[in-house]
Structure formats: C-alpha cells, structure tokens
Amino acid sequence: MAVRSRITGVGGFVPSRVVTNHDLAAMMDTSDEWIVERTGIQQRHWAGPDDSPSGFALEAANAALTAANVAKEDIDLLLVATLSPDHFFPGTACFLQAKMGISEIPALDIRQQCTGFIYGTSIADQFIRTGMYEKVLVIGSEIHSKGLDKTDAGRDVTVLFGDGAGAIVMEATDVESTDDSQVFSTHLHADGSGADALWLSSPGMAHPDGLVTHAHLDRGDQYPKMNGRAVYVNAVKRMSEGIHDALAANEVTIDDVDLFFFHQANLRINEAVAQRLQIPAGKVYNTIQKFGNTTAATIPLGMKEAVEDGTLQPGMLVACAAFGSGFTWGSMLIRW
Ligand code: UT7
C-alpha cells in the first residue's frame, strides 16, 4: 500500500454571455472563416462587468466540492492558477478564500499561465504524497475578456481567448495496484528564453519609469502580445514531449491511454500533436470550439464537460499535457 493522490470531484463554470466569431467581426477586422479555419474556435464566453476571477473560482470550487462530497472546512490547501488575477496583489487565492469563508488554511497563487493547472496538480500531489495535506482544492480561473485589445491591433490574440473556471478536489488515497484511481506522475518544465513570445508587459516592476505609465498605455503594453508562430511550433513540440514523459515514466503506451486532455489553444495544435503521436482523434477531448482558450481553466473545465457527457468514466487511464506562456509546459498521467 502506498499513499497517493486522486481526483475525487471536478467542477466548472462559464459566464452566460456567449460571444461568437460574428460578434467579434462586428468589433474588429476579423471573420468567422478566418477564426474557424486557423483555430477551430466558434464561440467563447465573456464575463460581465461585475464578475471576478475569484468569483468564477468560487463557482467552480463549490461544484467540485459537491461532486467530491467534501465540506469546504475539510480542505487543507487552496491553489488557484490564473494569469488574470483579481488584482496585482494579494493573490486571487486569498480573495477566493475570503469568499469561501474558510480562513487560516494556506492559499497559494500559481503563475504558470496555460500550464498552471498541471503545475497546481503537481504541487497538490507532492503535498499529499508526503502526508502534509489530505485534501486540496486546485482551481484554474480566468477572465481574459476585460483585458483584451478589442481593436484591429489586438485581433491575433483577442479572438483566441475565453473566460471560465475549472476546479478539482484532490484527496489522499491508499493504493494497492495501478488499477486504483490515482495520480501516477506529473512532469513540469519551463524555458524562460521564450518569456516575451507571449506576455503582458505592463503593469510591471521591471519598467524603469514605473509600474504603468501613460507611455505604456499609449503603446498598448497593458494588452497581451504574442509571437503566434513561435508559440504554435513550441506548443506542438513540447506537448508531444510531455506525453512521452508521462508514458515513459509509467511504462505505458499511447494505446493504453483511454483519453487525452490537451491544453486548448488552437485545434490545429492539438491535431498536430495527435498526428505526431499517432493518437486516434476520438481519444482527444477538445472543447476549444465552444470555450476558446481559457488558459489555466481549460483542462479542469474539459474534465467537467467529459464527466457530464459520459466520456470520462471511472477507471480510465487519462493523459494530460499543456503548454503556454513562459514558456511553460507539463504533463500528467492519472487513473480516473
Ligand atoms: O496557450 C498558448 C496561447 N497561444 C497559442 O497557442 C497560439 C499559437 N499560435 C496560433 O494559434 C496561430 O499562430 C494563430 C492562430 C495565432 C495565427 O495563425 P497563423 O496561421 O499563424 O496566422 P499568422 O499569424 O501567420 O497570420 C496570417 C494572417 C496575417 O495577415 P497577412 O500578414 O498574411 O496579411 C495576419 O495579420 O492573418 C492575419 N490575422 C488575422 N486575420 C483575421 C491575424 N489575426 C487575424 C484575425 N482575423 N483575428
């Protein structure tokens, strides 16, 4: 017998406002044809003015707690992955903790963008394996829509992103065999030499002239900037490598895996990874068509969808991989 972590509940949330490609074409110089052909995205959800990432996180966390049948008072650690925090500081996990009404447990923000959920799951897994904590909430929550450039200048980035949140409850479990539900492994990586290939420059303390200035605002430094091609090429390479890591560490093959969850940045990226690894299309669970790229929320939101529509069943061997800004990437293999 060994102590491992397992996912016991999953939840998700998206705001009710649906923004189609046609809606975006009314705001900027883009088209449904371009977006669908280049990315696979048909629509995304956008937050309302009073929404916050911690508010979305609360919705997803409550749903995950209900699914796991765990009381919020029994959670030992709160992890929130987000690139769109409520405020510059303190962390969104602290705002969430106040909203949940559970004080004194540690509340930690994870700043690994699209890979944030994999980093969070890995951190939770290490704490559970060492016996320090027994129940951990891992949440990815994002509101991109309030921070995107909705003019022609921002069209390459703005059409890609959507708002939403996803959450899992992870609990300690005694496992006897690989058939038992558990997290087998997580692999984390980063390459900071690609940091400015997808980034948001301002506000930032590295600026000699201050956190945010009129010059920054005039240049649009408060909006994300991306070298789309560099991100695309690296995403295909690194998510493929991540799946290799996960399979090799556990001595299993592509054929042994029942379902793959890849980060959802571009349908073409995921098709290229599947082709490279010879994964049958039916084993890859894609949600980008209706949610766009929800960054750290993507994988748990996808898991929640897959549970609800019956695709994700107990006992399945599941591989996940993500790649994003940083560059950061990672993977994990779990028995659901
Ligand atoms: O989680 C990580 C987050 N990001 C990603 O993973 C994104 C990775 N990159 C991509 O998915 C792709 O690079 C994009 C979808 C962003 C772009 O697709 P692409 O096939 O690489 O297009 P491109 O950047 O080479 O641009 C082709 C053309 C350009 O026009 P010209 O120079 O050929 O006249 C762009 O100006 O498409 C134009 N374009 C657009 N046209 C209509 C760029 N964005 C848009 C747009 N609508 N939204």
Side-chain angles (χ1 to χ4, degrees), residues 34 156-157 160 196-198 225-236 265-266 268-269 323 327:
W34 192 95
D156 61 327
V157 173
L160 303 177
D196 63 0
L198 175 51
K225 299 286 182 305
M226 178 175 71
N227 177 342
R229 191 101 309 254
V231 176
Y232 188 107
V233 169
N234 277 282
V236 174
N266 185 326
R268 286 162 56 213
I269 292 177
F323 174 87
F327 294 134

Side-chain angles (χ1 to χ4, degrees), residues 8-315:
T8 56
V10 60
F13 176 80
V14 288
S16 59
R17 181 182 173 199
V18 172
V19 175
T20 65
N21 296 341
H22 297 288
D23 294 331
L24 292 180
M27 297 175 208
M28 64 192 83
D29 182 15
T30 190
S31 66
D32 180 55
E33 296 74 40
W34 192 95
I35 300 170
V36 170
E37 191 191 313
R38 304 282 177 138
T39 72
I41 300 168
Q42 291 164 4
Q43 62 168 57
R44 71 287 292 141
H45 293 247
W46 278 9
D50 296 329
D51 291 331
S52 63
S54 65
F56 284 6
L58 178 67
E59 300 280 353
N62 283 340
L65 288 168
T66 302
N69 199 20
V70 167
K72 61 183 181 179
E73 292 78 13
D74 293 334
I75 293 295
D76 301 312
L77 170 67
L78 211 47
L79 297 173
V80 176
T82 185
L83 70 67
S84 52
D86 279 23
H87 299 284
F88 199 75
F89 75 86
T92 301
C94 292
F95 289 104
L96 171 64
Q97 192 194 43
K99 287 190 164 113
M100 291 182 75
I102 42 165
S103 57
E104 299 194 10
I105 63 164
L108 177 68
D109 272 36
I110 297 166
R111 300 286 313 274
Q112 264 58 37
Q113 302 68 246
C114 299
T115 320
F117 177 74
I118 303 265
Y119 268 71
T121 304
S122 182
I123 293 167
D125 184 49
Q126 310 315 311
F127 274 126
I128 289 171
R129 282 179 188 240
T130 58
M132 181 144 174
Y133 298 126
E134 285 191 1
K135 297 183 198 305
V136 182
L137 252 176
V138 185
I139 302 150
S141 184
E142 307 282 3
I143 293 185
H144 295 295
S145 60
K146 293 188 189 185
L148 295 170
D149 180 355
K150 300 182 185 91
T151 70
D152 293 354
R155 66 178 182 172
D156 61 327
V157 173
T158 299
V159 301
L160 303 177
F161 290 95
D163 303 337
I168 57 170
V169 174
M170 290 175 69
E171 296 187 65
T173 180
D174 288 322
V175 296
E176 284 172 2
S177 84
T178 54
D179 292 335
D180 293 335
S181 170
Q182 63 193 285
V183 174
F184 290 115
S185 64
T186 57
H187 289 85
L188 306 178
H189 298 279
D191 176 5
S193 68
D196 63 0
L198 175 51
W199 72 318
L200 192 143
S201 158
S202 198
M205 300 300 185
H207 294 295
D209 43 357
L211 181 67
V212 58
T213 66
H214 289 290
H216 299 159
L217 296 175
D218 291 344
R219 276 202 307 267
D221 289 352
Q222 72 278 25
Y223 297 123
K225 299 286 182 305
M226 178 175 71
N227 177 342
R229 191 101 309 254
V231 176
Y232 188 107
V233 169
N234 277 282
V236 174
K237 174 175 157 44
R238 297 308 196 178
M239 287 206 293
S240 302
E241 288 174 4
I243 293 296
H244 271 304
D245 287 348
L247 301 186
N250 296 287
E251 298 179 345
V252 294
T253 67
I254 293 283
D255 290 343
D256 296 323
V257 178
D258 298 301
L259 202 56
F260 292 83
F261 288 93
F262 294 125
H263 175 59
Q264 305 280 305
N266 185 326
L267 197 58
R268 286 162 56 213
I269 292 177
N270 294 354
E271 287 168 354
V273 173
Q275 192 180 21
R276 191 180 268 216
L277 299 177
Q278 297 188 304
I279 301 169
K283 281 191 180 184
V284 180
Y285 195 84
N286 288 313
T287 54
I288 190 163
Q289 299 91 333
K290 57 181 182 179
F291 295 143
N293 181 353
T294 57
T295 335
T298 298
I299 290 179
L301 194 52
M303 288 173 167
K304 173 249 172 199
E305 292 281 303
V307 167
E308 274 181 6
D309 70 18
T311 306
L312 183 50
Q313 296 283 342

